[in-house]
Amino acid sequence: MNTLDTLEVVPTGAALGAEVHGLDLALPVSDAIAQTLRDAWYEHLVLLFRGQDLGDDAIMRTADIFGGSQGSGAHSYFNRNAAAFNPHRVEGYPEILAVTNLDENGDPTLDNGGLGSHEVVWHSDNSYVEVPPAGSLLCAIDVPIGGGGHTSFNNQYLAYETLPAELTRAIEGRHQVHDSSRNSAGVPRPGVKLPEKPEDVEGPTHPIVRVHPHTGRCALYLGRRRAWPSNYVVGLPDNESEALLDALWAHATRPEFAWEHVWRDGDAVLWDNRCAMHYRTPIDPSRRRVMHRIQIAGEPVIAPW
Ligand code: OGA
Ligand code: MN
Protein backbone atom coordinates (compact mmCIF):
# COMPACT_ATOMS: atom_id res chain seq x y z
CA MET A 1 0.00 0.00 0.00
CA ASN A 2 1.21 3.53 -0.74
CA THR A 3 1.26 5.83 2.29
CA LEU A 4 2.27 9.45 2.78
CA ASP A 5 4.60 8.33 5.62
CA THR A 6 6.90 6.41 3.30
CA LEU A 7 6.85 9.01 0.51
CA GLU A 8 10.01 11.04 0.17
CA VAL A 9 10.91 13.67 -2.45
CA VAL A 10 14.67 14.05 -2.85
CA PRO A 11 15.88 16.94 -5.05
CA THR A 12 18.70 16.10 -7.49
CA GLY A 13 20.70 19.12 -6.33
CA ALA A 14 20.82 20.39 -9.93
CA ALA A 15 18.68 23.22 -11.35
CA LEU A 16 15.64 20.94 -11.53
CA GLY A 17 14.47 17.39 -10.86
CA ALA A 18 13.70 15.27 -7.82
CA GLU A 19 13.52 11.55 -7.14
CA VAL A 20 10.42 10.19 -5.46
CA HIS A 21 11.10 7.32 -3.05
CA GLY A 22 8.65 5.00 -1.35
CA LEU A 23 5.94 4.90 -3.99
CA ASP A 24 4.68 2.09 -6.22
CA LEU A 25 2.76 3.65 -9.10
CA ALA A 26 1.15 0.29 -9.92
CA LEU A 27 -0.76 0.49 -6.59
CA PRO A 28 -3.59 2.88 -5.73
CA VAL A 29 -2.61 6.45 -4.88
CA SER A 30 -4.81 8.37 -2.39
CA ASP A 31 -5.98 11.93 -3.04
CA ALA A 32 -3.53 13.21 -0.42
CA ILE A 33 -0.60 11.43 -2.07
CA ALA A 34 -1.74 12.62 -5.50
CA GLN A 35 -1.77 16.23 -4.25
CA THR A 36 1.70 15.82 -2.75
CA LEU A 37 2.97 14.44 -6.07
CA ARG A 38 1.47 17.31 -8.08
CA ASP A 39 2.99 19.86 -5.70
CA ALA A 40 6.38 18.14 -6.00
CA TRP A 41 6.07 18.17 -9.80
CA TYR A 42 5.28 21.90 -9.87
CA GLU A 43 8.20 22.61 -7.55
CA HIS A 44 10.83 20.38 -9.22
CA LEU A 45 9.63 20.31 -12.89
CA VAL A 46 10.85 16.71 -13.35
CA LEU A 47 10.12 13.70 -11.13
CA LEU A 48 11.98 10.39 -11.26
CA PHE A 49 10.39 7.19 -9.92
CA ARG A 50 12.76 4.22 -9.96
CA GLY A 51 12.02 0.51 -9.75
CA GLN A 52 8.51 0.72 -11.22
CA ASP A 53 6.81 -2.14 -13.06
CA LEU A 54 4.11 -0.34 -14.99
CA GLY A 55 1.85 -1.93 -17.56
CA ASP A 56 -0.02 0.36 -19.91
CA ASP A 57 -3.09 0.49 -17.63
CA ALA A 58 -0.91 1.69 -14.76
CA ILE A 59 0.66 4.27 -17.08
CA MET A 60 -2.84 5.56 -17.92
CA ARG A 61 -3.73 5.73 -14.20
CA THR A 62 -0.50 7.57 -13.42
CA ALA A 63 -1.35 10.17 -16.06
CA ASP A 64 -4.68 10.69 -14.27
CA ILE A 65 -2.84 11.78 -11.11
CA PHE A 66 -1.31 14.67 -13.05
CA GLY A 67 -4.33 15.77 -15.12
CA GLY A 68 -5.22 12.95 -17.51
CA SER A 69 -3.81 12.23 -20.95
CA GLN A 70 -3.92 13.62 -24.47
CA GLY A 71 -2.95 11.94 -27.74
CA SER A 72 0.39 12.71 -29.36
CA GLY A 73 0.79 14.91 -32.43
CA ALA A 74 3.16 12.26 -33.80
CA HIS A 75 0.40 9.68 -34.18
CA SER A 76 -1.71 11.96 -36.35
CA TYR A 77 1.02 12.14 -39.01
CA PHE A 78 1.40 8.37 -39.15
CA ASN A 79 -2.40 7.96 -39.18
CA ARG A 80 -2.70 10.34 -42.14
CA ASN A 81 -0.16 8.25 -43.98
CA ALA A 82 -1.35 4.75 -43.10
CA ALA A 83 1.17 3.05 -45.41
CA ALA A 84 4.08 4.20 -43.23
CA PHE A 85 5.41 1.88 -40.53
CA ASN A 86 4.44 3.54 -37.24
CA PRO A 87 7.13 2.80 -34.66
CA HIS A 88 5.03 4.53 -32.00
CA ARG A 89 1.97 2.31 -32.01
CA VAL A 90 0.99 0.46 -28.82
CA GLU A 91 -1.85 -1.94 -29.60
CA GLY A 92 -5.02 -1.09 -27.67
CA TYR A 93 -3.61 2.13 -26.18
CA PRO A 94 -3.97 4.94 -28.72
CA GLU A 95 -2.78 7.55 -26.21
CA ILE A 96 0.44 5.71 -25.37
CA LEU A 97 3.46 6.16 -27.60
CA ALA A 98 6.26 3.64 -27.95
CA VAL A 99 9.58 5.51 -27.96
CA THR A 100 11.87 2.87 -29.41
CA ASN A 101 14.76 2.34 -31.79
CA LEU A 102 13.21 -0.85 -33.20
CA ASP A 103 12.30 -1.44 -36.83
CA GLU A 104 9.31 -3.30 -38.32
CA ASN A 105 10.94 -6.63 -37.47
CA GLY A 106 11.62 -5.66 -33.87
CA ASP A 107 15.36 -5.21 -34.39
CA PRO A 108 17.32 -2.16 -33.18
CA THR A 109 18.17 0.30 -35.95
CA LEU A 110 19.41 3.84 -36.49
CA ASP A 111 16.37 5.17 -38.31
CA ASN A 112 12.80 3.86 -37.90
CA GLY A 113 10.87 6.93 -39.04
CA GLY A 114 10.45 8.08 -35.42
CA LEU A 115 13.27 9.04 -33.05
CA GLY A 116 15.17 5.83 -33.86
CA SER A 117 18.64 5.84 -32.28
CA HIS A 118 19.27 9.49 -33.15
CA GLU A 119 20.39 12.30 -30.94
CA VAL A 120 17.29 14.29 -29.96
CA VAL A 121 17.83 18.05 -29.86
CA TRP A 122 16.57 20.24 -27.03
CA HIS A 123 12.80 20.63 -27.30
CA SER A 124 9.48 20.81 -25.54
CA ASP A 125 7.05 18.08 -26.62
CA ASN A 126 4.43 18.86 -29.26
CA SER A 127 4.94 22.63 -29.18
CA TYR A 128 3.85 22.35 -32.82
CA VAL A 129 0.20 21.75 -31.84
CA GLU A 130 -2.33 24.37 -30.74
CA VAL A 131 -2.70 22.95 -27.21
CA PRO A 132 0.60 21.26 -26.30
CA PRO A 133 0.67 18.59 -23.58
CA ALA A 134 1.33 19.89 -20.06
CA GLY A 135 3.79 17.11 -19.44
CA SER A 136 5.08 13.75 -20.57
CA LEU A 137 5.64 10.53 -18.62
CA LEU A 138 8.31 8.25 -20.07
CA CYS A 139 8.69 4.71 -18.70
CA ALA A 140 11.81 2.65 -19.39
CA ILE A 141 11.01 -0.96 -20.26
CA ASP A 142 14.24 -2.12 -21.89
CA VAL A 143 17.18 0.31 -21.94
CA PRO A 144 20.78 -0.41 -22.95
CA ILE A 145 23.14 0.13 -20.01
CA GLY A 146 26.24 1.73 -21.50
CA GLY A 147 24.48 2.18 -24.85
CA GLY A 148 23.75 5.91 -24.65
CA GLY A 149 20.30 7.49 -24.77
CA HIS A 150 20.75 9.63 -21.65
CA THR A 151 18.09 12.30 -21.29
CA SER A 152 18.73 15.80 -19.98
CA PHE A 153 16.19 18.36 -18.80
CA ASN A 154 16.58 22.10 -18.33
CA ASN A 155 14.79 24.69 -16.23
CA GLN A 156 13.17 27.36 -18.40
CA TYR A 157 11.91 29.42 -15.44
CA LEU A 158 15.56 29.97 -14.56
CA ALA A 159 16.43 30.66 -18.19
CA TYR A 160 13.75 33.36 -18.29
CA GLU A 161 14.65 34.87 -14.92
CA THR A 162 18.34 35.17 -15.84
CA LEU A 163 17.90 36.64 -19.34
CA PRO A 164 19.93 39.78 -19.98
CA ALA A 165 17.63 42.82 -19.77
CA GLU A 166 17.90 43.61 -23.48
CA LEU A 167 16.68 40.10 -24.38
CA THR A 168 13.76 40.36 -21.95
CA ARG A 169 12.81 43.61 -23.66
CA ALA A 170 13.29 42.14 -27.15
CA ILE A 171 10.82 39.29 -26.55
CA GLU A 172 8.14 41.28 -24.75
CA GLY A 173 4.83 40.73 -26.56
CA ARG A 174 6.55 38.50 -29.15
CA HIS A 175 5.27 35.20 -30.55
CA GLN A 176 6.86 32.41 -32.51
CA VAL A 177 5.46 30.16 -35.24
CA HIS A 178 6.28 26.53 -34.31
CA ASP A 179 7.29 24.35 -37.26
CA SER A 180 5.54 20.95 -37.29
CA SER A 181 7.41 19.47 -40.27
CA ARG A 182 10.06 17.44 -38.40
CA ASN A 183 10.23 15.42 -35.18
CA SER A 184 12.69 16.20 -32.40
CA ALA A 185 15.36 14.01 -34.04
CA GLY A 186 15.02 16.12 -37.21
CA VAL A 187 13.28 13.36 -39.18
CA PRO A 188 10.57 14.72 -41.53
CA ARG A 189 7.11 13.50 -40.55
CA PRO A 190 5.43 11.11 -42.98
CA GLY A 191 3.74 12.88 -45.87
CA VAL A 192 5.05 16.35 -44.95
CA LYS A 193 6.69 18.71 -47.44
CA LEU A 194 9.57 20.62 -45.83
CA PRO A 195 9.19 24.44 -45.83
CA GLU A 196 11.30 26.39 -48.33
CA LYS A 197 10.41 29.86 -47.05
CA PRO A 198 8.86 31.17 -43.80
CA GLU A 199 5.40 31.42 -45.38
CA ASP A 200 5.50 27.63 -45.93
CA VAL A 201 6.04 26.87 -42.23
CA GLU A 202 2.99 25.13 -40.83
CA GLY A 203 2.26 25.20 -37.14
CA PRO A 204 0.63 27.19 -34.35
CA THR A 205 1.75 30.55 -32.97
CA HIS A 206 2.73 30.63 -29.29
CA PRO A 207 4.11 33.39 -27.04
CA ILE A 208 7.90 33.20 -26.42
CA VAL A 209 7.21 33.50 -22.69
CA ARG A 210 4.44 31.50 -21.04
CA VAL A 211 2.83 31.55 -17.62
CA HIS A 212 2.56 28.25 -15.78
CA PRO A 213 -1.11 27.82 -14.81
CA HIS A 214 -0.29 26.30 -11.39
CA THR A 215 2.80 28.17 -10.22
CA GLY A 216 2.06 31.52 -11.89
CA ARG A 217 5.75 31.71 -12.85
CA CYS A 218 6.98 32.79 -16.30
CA ALA A 219 9.16 30.48 -18.39
CA LEU A 220 10.87 30.81 -21.76
CA TYR A 221 8.95 28.74 -24.32
CA LEU A 222 11.15 28.07 -27.34
CA GLY A 223 9.81 24.72 -28.61
CA ARG A 224 12.58 23.51 -30.91
CA ARG A 225 15.15 24.85 -33.33
CA ARG A 226 15.88 23.84 -36.90
CA ALA A 227 17.81 25.32 -39.79
CA TRP A 228 15.98 28.17 -41.51
CA PRO A 229 13.18 28.20 -42.64
CA SER A 230 11.58 26.76 -39.50
CA ASN A 231 10.40 28.36 -36.26
CA TYR A 232 10.44 32.15 -36.58
CA VAL A 233 9.48 35.21 -34.55
CA VAL A 234 6.33 36.86 -35.88
CA GLY A 235 6.70 40.45 -37.09
CA LEU A 236 10.52 40.60 -37.36
CA PRO A 237 12.64 40.63 -40.53
CA ASP A 238 14.15 37.17 -41.18
CA ASN A 239 17.68 38.11 -40.07
CA GLU A 240 16.46 39.71 -36.83
CA SER A 241 14.28 36.70 -36.05
CA GLU A 242 17.26 34.38 -36.53
CA ALA A 243 19.57 36.56 -34.43
CA LEU A 244 17.04 36.76 -31.59
CA LEU A 245 16.44 32.99 -31.62
CA ASP A 246 20.22 32.37 -31.70
CA ALA A 247 20.66 34.49 -28.57
CA LEU A 248 17.69 32.94 -26.76
CA TRP A 249 18.77 29.36 -27.53
CA ALA A 250 22.37 30.02 -26.46
CA HIS A 251 21.08 31.24 -23.11
CA ALA A 252 18.28 28.66 -22.60
CA THR A 253 20.59 25.67 -23.14
CA ARG A 254 23.35 26.77 -20.75
CA PRO A 255 24.59 23.69 -18.85
CA GLU A 256 23.92 25.18 -15.40
CA PHE A 257 20.16 25.05 -16.05
CA ALA A 258 20.24 21.30 -16.81
CA TRP A 259 20.24 17.87 -15.17
CA GLU A 260 21.03 14.60 -16.98
CA HIS A 261 19.26 11.33 -16.26
CA VAL A 262 20.93 7.98 -17.00
CA TRP A 263 18.18 5.39 -17.42
CA ARG A 264 17.65 1.95 -15.89
CA ASP A 265 14.81 -0.46 -16.61
CA GLY A 266 11.83 0.43 -14.40
CA ASP A 267 12.51 4.18 -14.35
CA ALA A 268 9.52 6.42 -14.90
CA VAL A 269 10.24 10.10 -15.50
CA LEU A 270 7.60 12.81 -15.60
CA TRP A 271 8.51 16.24 -16.99
CA ASP A 272 6.67 19.52 -17.41
CA ASN A 273 6.70 20.78 -21.00
CA ARG A 274 5.54 24.24 -19.91
CA CYS A 275 8.72 25.10 -18.06
CA ALA A 276 11.36 22.53 -19.05
CA MET A 277 12.94 21.28 -22.27
CA HIS A 278 14.69 17.93 -22.80
CA TYR A 279 17.50 16.48 -24.89
CA ARG A 280 18.72 12.90 -25.56
CA THR A 281 22.17 11.65 -26.48
CA PRO A 282 22.36 9.19 -29.41
CA ILE A 283 21.82 5.48 -28.79
CA ASP A 284 24.06 2.64 -29.93
CA PRO A 285 21.91 1.46 -32.89
CA SER A 286 22.84 -2.18 -32.25
CA ARG A 287 21.24 -2.10 -28.78
CA ARG A 288 17.50 -2.22 -28.03
CA ARG A 289 15.86 0.72 -26.28
CA VAL A 290 12.13 0.49 -25.59
CA MET A 291 10.05 2.96 -23.60
CA HIS A 292 6.39 3.83 -23.32
CA ARG A 293 5.30 7.45 -23.12
CA ILE A 294 2.04 9.15 -22.29
CA GLN A 295 1.34 12.86 -22.55
CA ILE A 296 -0.38 14.76 -19.77
CA ALA A 297 -3.35 16.82 -21.00
CA GLY A 298 -2.46 20.47 -21.55
CA GLU A 299 -4.30 23.75 -21.63
CA PRO A 300 -4.04 26.71 -24.05
CA VAL A 301 -0.70 28.48 -23.67
CA ILE A 302 -0.99 31.54 -21.37
CA ALA A 303 0.96 34.66 -22.38
CA PRO A 304 2.15 37.04 -19.64
CA TRP A 305 1.37 40.20 -21.60
C1 OGA B 1 10.22 12.02 -25.88
C2 OGA B 1 11.67 12.22 -25.94
C3 OGA B 1 13.69 11.27 -25.11
C4 OGA B 1 14.24 9.91 -24.86
O1 OGA B 1 9.79 10.88 -25.71
O2 OGA B 1 9.49 13.03 -25.99
O3 OGA B 1 12.12 13.28 -26.28
O4 OGA B 1 15.06 9.81 -23.95
N1 OGA B 1 12.38 11.17 -25.56
O5 OGA B 1 13.91 8.98 -25.58
MN1 MN C 1 10.41 14.77 -26.43
Side-chain angles (χ1 to χ4, degrees):
M1 197 177 83
N2 287 315
T3 67
L4 264 184
D5 298 343
T6 54
L7 188 80
E8 212 188 342
V9 178
V10 183
T12 61
L16 75 172
E19 183 173 342
V20 178
H21 296 275
L23 191 77
D24 181 346
L25 288 167
L27 298 178
V29 166
S30 68
D31 290 348
I33 294 176
Q35 189 59 53
T36 301
L37 292 174
R38 285 191 293 273
D39 290 343
W41 188 37
Y42 301 145
E43 182 177 351
H44 299 289
L45 293 66
V46 181
L47 296 181
L48 162 64
F49 307 84
R50 287 211 192 259
Q52 305 294 315
D53 184 7
L54 303 180
D56 292 313
D57 288 318
I59 291 177
M60 299 284 289
R61 285 196 302 274
T62 303
D64 286 340
I65 298 173
F66 299 97
S69 59
Q70 80 177 48
S72 167
H75 277 308
S76 64
Y77 287 91
F78 286 93
N79 291 346
R80 264 183 255 163
N81 189 343
F85 161 62
N86 183 352
H88 304 295
R89 254 174 68 83
V90 176
E91 199 58 46
Y93 295 88
E95 291 190 328
I96 294 182
L97 194 82
V99 176
T100 87
N101 64 347
L102 304 183
D103 64 16
E104 298 173 72
N105 304 316
D107 297 321
T109 184
L110 174 63
D111 197 354
N112 63 0
L115 299 182
S117 298
H118 297 291
E119 178 184 21
V120 173
V121 297
W122 284 108
H123 68 283
S124 176
D125 286 331
N126 285 203
S127 68
Y128 54 85
V129 302
E130 210 52 63
V131 180
S136 307
L137 173 72
L138 187 58
C139 304
I141 296 168
D142 186 2
V143 293
I145 301 295
H150 309 320
T151 309
S152 294
F153 302 89
N154 63 17
N155 183 332
Q156 295 301 299
Y157 293 131
L158 260 186
Y160 176 71
E161 288 159 6
T162 57
L163 272 181
E166 68 273 16
L167 277 180
T168 310
R169 268 196 306 277
I171 59 177
E172 197 183 331
R174 293 274 175 204
H175 292 71
Q176 212 188 165
V177 171
H178 289 248
D179 181 6
S180 60
S181 64
R182 281 156 284 202
N183 72 19
S184 45
V187 178
R189 298 182 192 285
V192 160
K193 187 173 171 298
L194 293 182
E196 286 165 11
K197 50 187 186 310
E199 302 79 71
D200 298 341
V201 174
E202 283 184 31
T205 300
H206 294 307
I208 295 182
V209 183
R210 69 183 292 182
V211 181
H212 194 290
H214 297 286
T215 64
R217 294 174 73 188
C218 286
L220 260 189
Y221 189 59
L222 296 181
R224 64 196 65 201
R225 192 87 198 278
R226 294 283 158 211
W228 184 267
S230 183
N231 282 29
Y232 63 89
V233 182
V234 178
L236 288 183
D238 295 353
N239 58 343
E240 286 182 32
S241 169
E242 281 295 89
L244 180 54
L245 291 179
D246 282 346
L248 291 171
W249 275 97
H251 180 80
T253 56
R254 275 163 50 177
E256 64 265 37
F257 303 145
W259 164 68
E260 182 183 74
H261 176 56
V262 179
W263 296 90
R264 297 185 213 148
D265 290 357
D267 287 351
V269 174
L270 173 74
W271 62 83
D272 194 323
N273 287 307
R274 299 165 291 196
C275 51
M277 296 197 291
H278 53 286
Y279 162 88
R280 180 185 87 187
T281 62
I283 302 160
D284 176 344
S286 70
R287 311 273 309 271
R288 295 168 60 85
R289 185 176 187 268
V290 179
M291 299 182 157
H292 278 191
R293 186 184 95 176
I294 194 162
Q295 298 192 146
I296 308 299
E299 59 290 303
V301 177
I302 305 167
W305 319 291

